[in-house]
């Protein structure tokens, strides 16, 4: 038997040997087409290569492309499980020529692969062509030797392939396999073509045109080739099976499902096992590509798929969540070809387990409600919309899940009634809604979020993605288009831009398109469930409905990521060194720094900061993966995630854990685990280097720490080094000698200060240059008076003592002026204290200086006065007192 793995690699290698580049499957969320829900064909990633907008270094390619057809235009969800060939997830094998070979070579390559490499019997094959494509008919005859009866001309869109309403398209030729007479059905184009006997296995599209939005169809720059062959279909043919679910790959998953549930794979519950096997594949691949279950957009399609599978697990009688148990089988089957599956294995497992655990809580009760309601209905009477809405709203039953259950009973559902109930609820929400208080802007955002669907954020996975313009706002009003010079707010259906939240600043960057239009986005904010890009149009014009490329400023995002991840490590390190009372009081994740406020009663010491810094850097260097999970708030907190008090969490929370294993947290637990919606590095090593730059008090019991990481840390260190170099330069020194040089200068300054003091003293006590104030005789005694500038008041008494010693007997008056104020000291030698009191004299002096009082002893008294300009008058007043 040829296994699916062998067929996949056989296909890739065959085209590889025929000069095709083996290209990886693109993600399920198309980055280059905002109007497409999921990648639904191999050519999606090459869309712009066909039209010539994008160049690749090869012009032949081969892929095995992951495809999801659920929700949106191509929706196979309802049929999965009940038919032989419907899947929500499948692999499309395809070869592509971008203006290189065309029809003849494409047909030849396909024919040779099927008949020579894969060894299919020619007689079992027939083909269709577009009705007027004579050229294709001729080539089939020549290359394959097919007779006219086995080349069927089809005039319908079945043989004209287009990806969607716009984009590359062209006539196609399909290859069919005849599963044999014992299966009912006729060849394509015949009245019973819908039978299961003739199965299309490969579609060769002769890509020639581009369908444009206005209805025009133009020629592609060069005719090209796009082919698509479902791996599951060709595997069925090569494995002699009629049903895709009987191929080895699907069968292994179905058997695992039977094992886990203990219910036979092929009995009464075969449909349930098939549903589970299919939905496990689409759910796992979507999760691996960044889609997580939610109540909107792609996340809701995923939730619908998951819940449909979970209801079938319930039908199998599974008491505990079971679908996550099948992940290892899926990884065994497909992990080697799609490594993202291996990388995301724990995320897939956790997400499936959480969703199933949660849904189990309401599934049983919902089913009971439904049973009670249907019991009351006639045999094929439709279920009322109100009941379906209650199941949706209260029990989490997506509408298609309810329909799926009713289908088993041959019963319809009143969809109009469901829609009416939904509208009623929306209106009630609107009436109850209270905004921020600014009525005009509140109304605008409410109207917009009511009218538009939530912006899908693709920025965890990518930094550039296309988005379709949903609304343009200028001066608080919606406008149909904007042009150069306009300040505008732009809302897109999806974006790579992060909108400010959780302390992380919004992204900056450009919105551009090929027609030369460009908006410089300087901020991104969240309003209700919309991301609002704020910026100015630099060139060109854009209108609602246009598709633009959202290009996040990468180096800035890298800095934000480094700061955000570093904040998580810092938080944990602070708790380890300061204690568990440390809780987050505020956080800013900016381009140039991070700021983290914590509850802590006293300053964090220098030593503590160093230890924290060291631990963070040690964790960075461990370079372990940063892991992201989605779970419920309760589960996350139970598992030890740090929750932020006062923060509002939705149904799902994102848990980010990092820093490598931390045994003290429990087996398998990482150093840091937090609830967080921000963007983070992939591995902590990407943070680079972490440095605390300041610590200080913010409010009572709250400390603020600022730090830098990554490129910002390099900037910080460079700035510091620059300062050091400049300081050293100013002191004619080098950074290495700077400390010694500064100590030397301080020593020198001390010495100079001492010398200055000495000199002043000398000046006051009669040294050279003293203020002219001759010694005189007043009232029969020697009298010395000095009025001095800038001598500290505390120096006056020792000076007076010194002068006393010099003159032996007499009266000394010293007045010092400092900043306009005066200090006065009067000294009287001991032999004279019987006649004159220094205290009396100082009072006279102080009065003249505009002051009052003064005190001391008869031999030494001190006072002050506000008016230093009156120094000489004070001296005169004292002289007068002495002479009287
Ligand atoms: N695009 C075509 C298809 O999806 C061929 O790959 O069938």
């Amino acid at each position: 038997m040829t296994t699916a793995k062998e067929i996949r690699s056989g296909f890739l290698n065959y085209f590889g040997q025929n000069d095709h580049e083996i290209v990886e499957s693109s993600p399920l969320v198309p980055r280059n087409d905002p109007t497409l829900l999921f990648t639904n064909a191999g050519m999606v990633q090459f869309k712009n290569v066909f039209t010539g907008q994008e160049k690749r270094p090869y012009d032949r390619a081969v892929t095995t492309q992951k495809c999801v057809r659920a929700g949106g235009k191509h929706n196979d969800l309802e049929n999965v499980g009940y038919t032989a060939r419907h899947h929500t997830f499948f692999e499309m094998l395809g070869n592509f020529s971008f203006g290189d070979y065309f029809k003849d070579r494409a047909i030849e390559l396909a024919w040779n692969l099927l008949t020579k490499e894969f060894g299919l019997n020619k007689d079992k094959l027939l083909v269709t062509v577009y009705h007027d494509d004579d050229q294709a008919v001729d080539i089939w005859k020549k290359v394959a030797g097919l007779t006219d009866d086995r080349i069927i001309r089809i005039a319908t869109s079945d043989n004209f392939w287009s990806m969607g309403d716009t984009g590359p398209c062209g006539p196609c030729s399909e290859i069919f396999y005849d599963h044999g007479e014992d299966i009912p059905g006729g060849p394509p184009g015949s009245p019973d073509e819908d039978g299961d006997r003739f199965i299309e296995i490969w579609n060769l599209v002769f890509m020639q045109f581009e369908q444009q939005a206005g209805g025009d169809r133009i020629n592609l720059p060069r005719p090209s080739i796009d082919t698509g062959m479902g791996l599951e279909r060709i595997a069925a043919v090569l494995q002699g099976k009629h049903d895709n679910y009987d191929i080895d790959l699907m069968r292994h998953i179905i058997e695992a499902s039977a094992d886990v549930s203990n219910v036979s794979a092929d009995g009464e519950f075969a449909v349930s096992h098939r549903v589970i096997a299919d939905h496990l594949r689409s759910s796992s691949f979507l999760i691996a590509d960044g889609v997580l279950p939610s109540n909107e957009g792609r996340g809701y399609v995923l939730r619908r798929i998951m819940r449909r599978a979970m209801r079938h697990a319930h039908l199998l009688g599974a008491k505990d969540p079971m679908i996550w148990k099948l992940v290892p089988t899926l990884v065994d089957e497909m992990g080697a070809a799609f490594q993202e599956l291996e990388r995301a294995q724990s995320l897939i497992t956790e997400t499936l387990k959480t969703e199933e655990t949660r849904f189990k809580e309401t599934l049983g009760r919902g089913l009971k409600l439904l049973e009670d309601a249907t019991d009351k209905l006639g045999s094929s009477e439709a279920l009322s919309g109100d009941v379906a809405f209650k199941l949706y709203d209260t029990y989490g039953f997506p509408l298609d899940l309810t329909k799926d259950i009713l289908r088993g009973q041959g019963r319809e559902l009143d969809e109009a009634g469901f829609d009416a109930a939904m509208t009623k609820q929306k209106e009630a929400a609107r009436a109850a809604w209270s905004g921020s208080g600014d009525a005009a802007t509140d109304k605008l955002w409410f109207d917009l979020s009511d009218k538009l669907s939530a912006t899908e954020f693709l920025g965890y996975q990518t930094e550039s993605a296309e988005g379709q313009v949903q609304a343009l706002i200028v001066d608080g009003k919606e406008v149909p288009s904007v042009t150069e010079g306009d300040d505008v707010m732009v809302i897109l259906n999806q974006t790579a831009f992060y909108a400010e939240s959780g302390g992380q600043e919004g992204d900056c960057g450009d919105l551009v398109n090929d027609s030369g239009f460009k908006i410089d986005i300087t901020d991104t904010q969240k309003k209700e469930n919309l991301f609002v890009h704020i910026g100015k149009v630099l060139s060109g014009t854009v209108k609602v409905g246009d598709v633009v490329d959202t290009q996040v400023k990468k180096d800035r995002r890298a800095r934000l990521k480094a700061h955000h991840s570093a904040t998580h490590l810092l938080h944990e390190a602070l708790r380890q060194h300061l204690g568990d009372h440390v809780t987050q009081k505020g956080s800013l994740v900016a381009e140039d720094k991070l700021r983290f406020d914590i509850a802590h009663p006293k300053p964090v010491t220098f030593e503590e900061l160093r230890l924290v810094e060291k631990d963070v850097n040690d964790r960075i260097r461990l370079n372990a993966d940063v892991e992201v999970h989605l779970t419920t708030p309760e589960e996350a907190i139970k598992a030890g995630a740090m929750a932020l008090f006062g923060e509002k969490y939705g149904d799902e929370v994102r848990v980010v854990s990092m820093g490598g294993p931390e045994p003290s947290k429990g087996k398998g637990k990482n150093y840091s685990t937090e609830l967080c919606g921000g963007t983070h590095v992939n591995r902590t090593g990407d943070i680079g280097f972490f440095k605390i730059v300041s610590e200080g008090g913010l409010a009572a019991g709250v400390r603020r720490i600022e730090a830098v990481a990554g490129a910002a840390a390099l900037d910080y260190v460079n700035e510091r080094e620059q300062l050091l170099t400049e300081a050293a330069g100013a002191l004619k020194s080098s950074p290495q000698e700077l400390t010694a040089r500064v100590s030397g200068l301080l020593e020198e300054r001390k010495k100079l200060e001492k010398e200055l003091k000495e000199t002043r003293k000398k000046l006051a006590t009669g040294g050279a240059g003293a203020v002219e104030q001759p010694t005189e005789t007043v009232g029969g005694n020697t009298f010395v008076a000095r009025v001095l500038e800038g001598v500290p008041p505390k120096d006056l008494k020792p000076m007076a003592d010194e002068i006393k010693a010099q003159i032996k007997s007499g009266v000394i008056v010293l007045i010092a002026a400092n900043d306009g104020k005066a200090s006065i000291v009067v000294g009287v030698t001991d032999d004279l204290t019987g006649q004159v009191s220094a205290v009396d004299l100082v009072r006279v002096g102080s009065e003249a200086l505009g002051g009052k009082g003064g005190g001391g002893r008869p031999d030494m008294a001190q006072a002050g006065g506000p008016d230093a300009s009156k120094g000489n008058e004070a001296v005169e007043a004292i002289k007068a007192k002495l002479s009287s």
Side-chain angles (χ1 to χ4, degrees), residues 65 124 183 228 257 262 385 509 525 741 773 862:
Q65 174 67 48
K124 294 279 219 172
I183 295 174
S257 167
N262 236 337
Q525 291 288 329
R741 180 92 177 96
Q773 203 52 260
Q862 189 165 15

Side-chain angles (χ1 to χ4, degrees), residues 721-742:
E721 201 170 77
Q722 176 75 18
L723 285 178
L724 196 62
T725 310
E726 277 172 20
L731 296 177
K732 309 230 170 350
S733 172
S734 68
Q736 289 75 5
E737 288 157 358
L738 193 59
T739 316
R741 180 92 177 96
V742 171

Side-chain angles (χ1 to χ4, degrees), residues 41 43 69 92 161 203 205 226-228:
M43 55 74 66
R69 290 188 178 174
M92 190 181 274
W161 198 87
N203 184 13
V205 184
D226 150 38
T227 86

Side-chain angles (χ1 to χ4, degrees), residues 115 176 250 460 539 652 769 796 807:
T115 57
F176 282 73
M250 297 306 293
Y460 292 131
S539 62
E652 281 83 29
L796 294 180
I807 58 173

Side-chain angles (χ1 to χ4, degrees), residues 40-44 67 69 74 90 92-96 161-163 172 174 200 202-205 207 226-229:
N40 59 8
M43 55 74 66
V44 168
C67 296
R69 290 188 178 174
H74 297 261
F90 64 99
M92 190 181 274
L93 302 166
N95 56 294
F96 305 89
W161 198 87
S162 48
M163 179 188 119
C172 58
E174 296 181 327
E200 179 225 326
W202 201 346
N203 184 13
L204 316 183
V205 184
M207 209 61 109
D226 150 38
T227 86
M229 171 157 67

Side-chain angles (χ1 to χ4, degrees), residues 435-483:
S436 69
D438 175 356
T441 21
D442 277 355
K443 183 167 173 349
L444 174 76
W445 297 123
F446 191 86
D447 286 351
L448 283 170
S449 68
D450 205 23
K451 177 169 86 175
L452 307 173
S453 49
T455 311
E456 289 220 28
F457 177 56
L458 306 182
Y460 292 131
Q461 310 281 320
T462 178
E463 285 164 3
S464 71
E466 287 185 2
Q468 190 178 36
V469 178
Q470 308 290 298
L472 297 164
I473 297 133
V474 174
D475 291 333
K477 287 192 190 67
E478 272 193 84
V479 294
S481 68
V482 289
T483 189

